[in-house]
Amino acid sequence: LDWWQADRYCEQHFAQLLFEPQDSEQGSFSKLLLSHHIRGSVWLKEKDSVLHKTKRRRGHTVPVLVFRDKTDTKYVKMLSDFPALPAVTACAHLQWDTRTQEIATVFSYAVPAFINEFQLRGFVDEEGFVRFALIVHGHHSPYLPVFRADGQWHHFCVTWQQENGTWAIYADGKRRASASGLCSVGSSAPQAIFGQGTFIIGQDQDSLGGTFRAKESFSGNITDLHIWQKVLSAEQIERVRSCWVLEQDLVFGWSSNALEVENTIQTVTTELLCPGPVEECRVLEVGSSGFSYASCLQTLPFICGYSKDAYWQLKRAQLESSHSLASRVNTLAVRTVIPDSFFTNEVQDMNLSVALDALDVLATVLREGEVPMLEASDLLAVLQLLKQVSDMEVQEGDELEMLEQLGQYYMEVTELILEEQNTGTWSSISQVIRGPMAVVELCNRMVSLLVPLLTPERTKIMIQHGNVGLHRVTMKNMWFGYSSLQRCLSRSGTSAVSQDMAASGGGQKYLSTTVGTAVISSALLSDYQEISTSVRYRLQHRVQVPARGCNFHVLSLFLLHISPDAGGMWSTAGCSVVMSLPDSTACFCNHTTNFAILLQVYEKQQRTTKEEFALQTLTFIGCGVSFCALIVTFILFLVVRVPKSERTTVHKNLIFALAAGEALLMFSELAKTSQVLCFMVTAFLHLFFMAAFSWMLVEGLLLWSKVVAVNMSEDRRMKFYYMTGWGLPVLIVGVTLATSFNKYVATNRCWLNVQTNVIWAFVGPVLFILAVNTLVLLRVVMVTVASAHRRSKMLTPNSSLENQIGTQIWAMAKPILVLLPVLGLTWVCGVLVHLSIIWAYVFIVLNSLQ
């Protein structure tokens, strides 16, 4: 099989394609393979790289021939001498004119001995498909559908070889038709296509190089036509489709200089978007014990590997199986839908009809409850069938009603195997399938099959059964209801993170971590391939808080996304909380994947209504008293005409900033009714309190300059103080508003949002200022104590030890009592508020006295 088929085969058997063996294992491993007569190259899977089958696209600029209408005059002749062709491949990009359903000749090759030597013809059928027919030596293949007549660019290749007259038609990288017998029948051996002929694009030659008829002419656009004197393999055709020219055995390469263009045909230059280069996959060279790379489209041997625990769980499930589900389903379907063994059954590529019948029967059996609780083998068999269906390729021409019905059955089966009674079964196969997130990934694949259901007339699809469903417009969205995955994920998925998260509870008693919302999946499609993009969404909380004899609440909301490849691991990478409410959380992620909200529940010693009222009242009174004292002090500075100095200037600025901040704080509750007013109050509160702390920092710097000699003039110092006291707060608030405008304000008060990183625009600078001022205070205390000690020795050299100790203590206490509020160090108590309500009262009282 090719690499993709091999990887899918192993996955459908609950195994993995063999990983690259370590250096010490290579020799013994090669011997093991040789003993089983396995030679040559063997597919490997690289641990540190992820292969995606999505085709990277690149631009390819080419000249295009434009055949506007069907006429008997427009043609293009190849200026090339053709040799005899025992085998041939012709490939081109084509844009078919959908206005007519008459037969059109894409190209014709004529020789003197035979006019219809090599020709490709087509027409649009009633179902909207372009049908091609190949003519060789006058022998005509049937018209078969190759691509939809949608006016888009399509790539095609036709191949023929002399031996048995074998031919094939490829379109957009897939073989659409093939057969043999397109050659002369009789005693004479099949002949090659004769050389030295005339090759015409867009017309059927009724005579050598001429006699064209309008009704058989081509209408549309064609470019990139290449011809080889051999049959290209499927891998080589994929490379040609990717706009890579294979030089070997090339008879004609597309070039404007090699064409004779009739003067009414327009030639334009366009850029085609071609699939990227064919990816290469890792292989082990058995015998040489070396590693190399080969095209992923080659067919090579491969080995599927199991972990020991997974293998023995599979064996145990198979040995303990009663085969009740398999027997019931197979009997009802009158064929083998669920095989007896996970290891030996051949996984066949399904078509739409077979998949629909299989899921119909399976859903019927599960729905009727004839198998009340799934055994481990039953669950694995269902998952194996779902894997096969999700890996199916939808063919053009498949009935869309059947496709939509398949989606309905798929979601129903998914919902039924996630029922509560199967929770224990999921746990019993935890080494084989790492949790029910495997179902999310399977549904994600299944949704991609439903692309043909989207049309210009039908832009939305909704398929739902119970708690599982999908809704698709441009994006692919799925949701798994709270009850579907809650129990399994809460058991396994959250245990690994609970202890780490419990540390953030801030002294509260940790209770549990639980999946508190539905699980959703989101992906954006472009040209049937998934591309990653940012996404913003809101999830409703569905957490069930345990009923105990005390109050509980959800203290912390942790945003996580779920990685199906890791079996349901949780991660916050690339995601952040935009807004959190008691009943929902809005989140932003810079990528698309599967998302849920993990809620951490704590026991909280909830404050009573009286305590809350007492704190609010005390805060209002304290702010009022402080505000009045600050205003009186400010007026005294102005009226009494205190001599102008650095200290009085710093005091006045600190008083003004504190007074403005506390005035806004007292009346901030009134601004909650208006969103705009609340935003403005928050911004000014941030500015004035930040300014207050900045001037407290200036107070500290001023003290330091008095204690430690600083070589700076007074004018320069004041400029620096003003830049620190007002410039720094304006800068911090401005940058915060510019970067976090939409998540700046908290949801239930006029203050900074504590659910995001915005709060650190205040807390971070405050902690820095408090740390600096603490160092200043320590330095001042040391200088004051040393000075008091020297003065005591000079003035009272014979004083007692008790007097000296008392003098030292007072020398230490005096600067601490005076400078603590001036330097803002009383705010340190705010860090301890969440530990006890007592600290809340202490904090309010101390800051009222500031």
Side-chain angles (χ1 to χ4, degrees):
L1 300 179
D2 66 35
W3 191 93
W4 309 106
Q5 293 169 335
D7 188 52
R8 186 178 66 179
Y9 181 94
C10 293
E11 183 187 349
Q12 290 179 356
H13 285 80
F14 305 105
Q16 283 187 318
L17 197 61
L18 187 68
F19 282 109
E20 184 176 313
Q22 297 180 359
D23 294 341
S24 58
E25 301 172 341
Q26 289 181 23
S28 59
F29 190 73
S30 290
K31 290 180 181 178
L32 177 64
L33 295 179
L34 288 171
S35 67
H36 287 79
H37 308 290
I38 299 175
R39 301 178 182 277
S41 301
V42 176
W43 286 129
L44 292 176
K45 194 168 188 175
E46 294 184 86
K47 291 183 178 180
D48 298 328
S49 67
V50 179
L51 284 171
H52 300 284
K53 203 174 181 179
T54 56
K55 304 292 191 300
R56 300 183 302 275
R57 299 176 75 83
R58 62 185 182 89
H60 178 54
T61 304
V62 287
V64 176
L65 300 176
V66 180
F67 295 82
R68 288 195 180 279
D69 299 298
K70 295 173 73 70
T71 69
D72 59 359
T73 58
K74 295 181 179 179
Y75 74 95
V76 175
K77 180 180 177 181
M78 286 188 180
L79 303 177
S80 179
D81 293 328
F82 285 86
L85 301 172
V88 65
T89 299
C91 298
H93 282 90
L94 194 71
Q95 211 173 15
W96 198 272
D97 187 350
T98 59
R99 295 174 298 174
T100 176
Q101 291 187 323
E102 293 182 338
I103 290 177
T105 304
V106 179
F107 61 76
S108 63
Y109 176 74
V111 295
F114 216 110
I115 298 302
N116 293 328
E117 182 67 358
F118 180 45
Q119 190 175 126
L120 180 65
R121 300 157 68 91
F123 71 96
V124 179
D125 65 16
E126 295 177 351
E127 298 177 358
F129 285 87
V130 175
R131 291 176 174 264
F132 274 178
L134 189 64
I135 301 174
V136 179
H137 299 317
H139 297 279
H140 203 299
S141 76
Y143 283 96
L144 297 171
V146 288
F147 55 81
R148 190 176 290 277
D150 51 10
Q152 302 297 316
W153 281 104
H154 293 276
H155 183 262
F156 76 88
C157 288
V158 293
T159 67
W160 177 87
Q161 58 182 348
Q162 177 180 342
E163 184 179 355
N164 298 324
T166 303
W167 59 276
I169 299 176
Y170 294 80
D172 299 326
K174 296 180 180 180
R175 187 166 63 181
R176 303 297 185 183
S178 62
S180 58
L182 199 61
C183 57
S184 301
V185 180
S187 57
S188 61
Q191 294 180 321
I193 294 175
F194 292 109
Q196 306 305 314
T198 301
F199 200 108
I200 299 292
I201 301 173
Q203 293 286 357
D204 178 17
Q205 306 173 60
D206 285 343
S207 64
L208 187 62
T211 315
F212 307 139
R213 289 187 291 179
K215 67 177 184 179
E216 293 181 344
S217 64
F218 172 71
S219 177
N221 303 324
I222 188 169
T223 186
D224 235 14
L225 176 60
H226 294 79
I227 301 173
W228 295 264
Q229 55 181 347
K230 70 173 184 179
V231 173
L232 299 185
S233 65
E235 176 191 353
Q236 291 172 322
I237 287 175
E238 180 65 19
R239 291 180 66 86
V240 172
R241 176 175 171 246
S242 302
C243 308
W244 293 83
V245 178
L246 302 175
E247 298 293 341
Q248 186 178 4
D249 298 316
L250 183 66
V251 176
F252 176 81
W254 187 250
S255 171
S256 300
N257 299 326
L259 299 172
E260 177 186 304
V261 183
E262 193 267 332
N263 56 16
T264 61
I265 291 179
Q266 185 181 2
T267 303
V268 298
T269 301
T270 190
E271 185 179 60
L272 294 177
L273 284 177
C274 305
V278 176
E279 291 191 86
E280 293 190 328
C281 300
R282 191 77 158 161
V283 294
L284 170 67
E285 302 296 344
V286 181
S288 64
S289 299
F291 300 101
S292 63
Y293 286 91
S295 168
C296 300
L297 296 173
Q298 286 190 38
T299 54
L300 294 176
F302 63 96
I303 298 173
C304 299
Y306 295 87
S307 69
K308 288 183 179 179
D309 292 336
Y311 178 80
W312 287 115
Q313 275 195 357
L314 282 169
K315 292 291 288 185
R316 189 182 305 112
Q318 188 168 322
L319 291 172
E320 296 174 356
S321 173
S322 64
H323 301 291
S324 58
L325 179 68
S327 175
R328 183 77 184 101
V329 171
N330 294 338
T331 301
L332 196 59
V334 199
R335 66 181 183 87
T336 303
V337 173
I338 298 179
D340 293 331
S341 173
F342 315 119
F343 301 103
T344 59
N345 69 301
E346 292 295 326
V347 178
Q348 302 293 332
D349 286 334
M350 286 196 168
N351 58 42
L352 181 57
S353 178
V354 172
L356 186 63
D357 290 342
L359 288 188
D360 183 11
V361 173
L362 179 58
T364 301
V365 173
L366 293 175
R367 189 190 312 125
E368 292 175 354
E370 297 183 22
V371 183
M373 186 181 74
L374 292 178
E375 298 177 352
S377 60
D378 297 336
L379 184 54
L380 290 168
V382 173
L383 289 171
Q384 193 172 54
L385 179 60
L386 292 177
K387 285 174 183 282
Q388 294 181 53
V389 175
S390 64
D391 288 332
M392 178 185 69
E393 290 190 6
V394 178
Q395 302 296 325
E396 293 188 23
D398 285 341
E399 294 185 20
L400 299 184
E401 293 80 7
M402 293 175 62
L403 184 59
E404 186 166 359
Q405 187 63 53
L406 181 70
Q408 294 281 3
Y409 287 144
Y410 201 97
M411 293 301 157
E412 182 177 0
V413 171
T414 299
E415 165 67 15
L416 291 170
I417 64 174
L418 290 173
E419 292 287 350
E420 181 180 357
Q421 64 267 23
N422 298 322
T423 303
T425 308
W426 281 101
S427 301
S428 68
I429 56 171
S430 59
Q431 297 300 319
V432 182
I433 300 293
R434 298 199 177 270
M437 285 308 299
V439 177
V440 176
E441 177 63 13
L442 290 176
C443 289
N444 199 28
R445 292 190 209 171
M446 179 60 201
V447 173
S448 297
L449 298 181
L450 305 181
V451 172
L453 296 178
L454 292 174
T455 63
E457 295 76 28
R458 186 184 185 188
T459 59
K460 296 181 181 180
I461 305 168
M462 183 171 288
I463 297 175
Q464 180 177 4
H465 188 276
N467 287 307
V468 180
L470 65 91
H471 176 237
R472 182 174 195 147
V473 192
T474 311
M475 293 192 68
K476 174 176 61 178
N477 298 317
M478 293 190 302
W479 69 92
F480 287 76
Y482 172 80
S483 60
S484 297
L485 299 176
Q486 165 65 27
R487 296 170 184 84
C488 295
L489 285 179
S490 294
R491 282 189 178 188
S492 58
T494 63
S495 58
V497 294
S498 296
Q499 291 186 356
D500 293 337
M501 289 183 160
S504 63
Q508 306 296 322
K509 181 182 177 182
Y510 170 75
L511 294 178
S512 64
T513 302
T514 182
V515 181
T517 66
V519 176
I520 66 169
S521 174
S522 180
L524 183 65
L525 293 183
S526 175
D527 192 27
Y528 300 111
Q529 303 295 339
E530 289 189 10
I531 59 175
S532 186
T533 185
S534 60
V535 59
R536 179 172 175 166
Y537 56 90
R538 181 189 294 273
L539 288 172
Q540 296 291 325
H541 300 165
R542 294 289 185 271
V543 65
Q544 302 296 318
V545 178
R548 296 186 183 177
C550 49
N551 295 315
F552 300 90
H553 81 307
V554 178
L555 184 66
S556 302
L557 292 169
F558 290 88
L559 173 69
L560 302 114
H561 76 264
I562 304 167
S563 171
D565 296 333
M569 298 300 291
W570 298 85
S571 171
T572 57
C575 296
S576 61
V577 175
V578 176
M579 184 171 61
S580 180
L581 299 173
D583 62 339
S584 65
T585 299
C587 312
F588 173 83
C589 285
N590 62 11
H591 59 284
T592 53
T593 181
N594 308 299
F595 304 97
I597 303 292
L598 197 62
L599 302 180
Q600 193 172 4
V601 185
Y602 286 82
E603 179 180 359
K604 181 187 177 186
Q605 297 174 351
Q606 206 169 33
R607 293 170 184 164
T608 64
T609 307
K610 290 183 179 180
E611 289 174 336
E612 289 287 348
F613 179 77
L615 285 173
Q616 289 179 2
T617 304
L618 190 58
T619 300
F620 190 86
I621 295 172
C623 284
V625 171
S626 179
F627 177 78
C628 293
L630 289 167
I631 293 299
V632 170
T633 309
F634 190 83
I635 293 172
L636 286 173
F637 271 115
L638 297 177
V639 173
V640 178
R641 295 184 180 179
V642 177
K644 187 177 180 181
S645 66
E646 286 181 321
R647 181 171 298 172
T648 56
T649 303
V650 173
H651 285 343
K652 284 190 285 188
N653 280 278
L654 174 58
I655 289 167
F656 177 79
L658 264 178
E662 292 189 350
L664 282 171
L665 184 62
M666 284 189 293
F667 296 99
S668 62
E669 286 292 313
L670 302 177
K672 289 169 61 175
T673 55
S674 172
Q675 187 175 358
V676 175
L677 186 59
C678 186
F679 189 96
M680 294 177 62
V681 168
T682 301
F684 280 109
L685 274 173
H686 189 191
L687 175 64
F688 285 121
F689 275 117
M690 198 69 256
F693 276 96
S694 297
W695 282 107
M696 291 177 202
L697 175 62
V698 171
E699 291 274 8
L701 296 176
L702 182 61
L703 276 171
W704 184 269
S705 69
K706 302 300 181 184
V707 174
V708 180
V710 177
N711 188 18
M712 185 184 293
S713 66
E714 183 173 334
D715 289 338
R716 291 179 63 190
R717 278 205 304 269
M718 284 311 303
K719 289 180 181 178
F720 175 73
Y721 292 160
Y722 274 111
M723 288 177 60
T724 304
W726 290 110
L728 186 62
V730 169
L731 178 64
I732 291 173
V733 174
V735 171
T736 307
L737 286 172
T739 57
S740 307
F741 188 84
N742 293 326
K743 48 185 178 180
Y744 186 72
V745 183
T747 54
N748 54 354
R749 67 177 70 89
C750 297
W751 181 235
L752 300 179
N753 192 346
V754 296
Q755 298 292 342
T756 63
N757 292 328
V758 171
I759 190 63
W760 287 101
F762 178 74
V763 174
V766 166
L767 292 177
F768 172 76
I769 290 169
L770 294 180
V772 171
N773 283 354
T774 300
L775 294 176
V776 171
L777 179 63
L778 291 175
R779 179 62 176 165
V780 170
V781 168
M782 289 170 61
V783 171
T784 305
V785 170
S787 177
H789 181 65
R790 288 195 300 270
R791 190 184 308 111
S792 176
K793 279 190 173 183
M794 292 173 58
L795 298 177
T796 55
N798 300 320
S799 63
S800 65
L801 181 62
E802 288 86 4
N803 290 336
Q804 291 183 13
I805 294 174
T807 303
Q808 296 284 353
I809 293 174
W810 175 243
M812 184 183 299
K814 183 179 178 181
I816 291 176
L817 293 173
V818 172
L819 295 179
L820 268 178
V822 175
L823 298 180
L825 298 179
T826 54
W827 283 73
V828 174
C829 297
V831 181
L832 308 174
V833 165
H834 66 284
L835 296 179
S836 172
I837 194 171
I838 296 173
W839 285 109
Y841 289 117
V842 172
F843 176 70
I844 293 171
V845 171
L846 287 178
N847 283 284
S848 299
L849 297 174
Q850 187 174 16

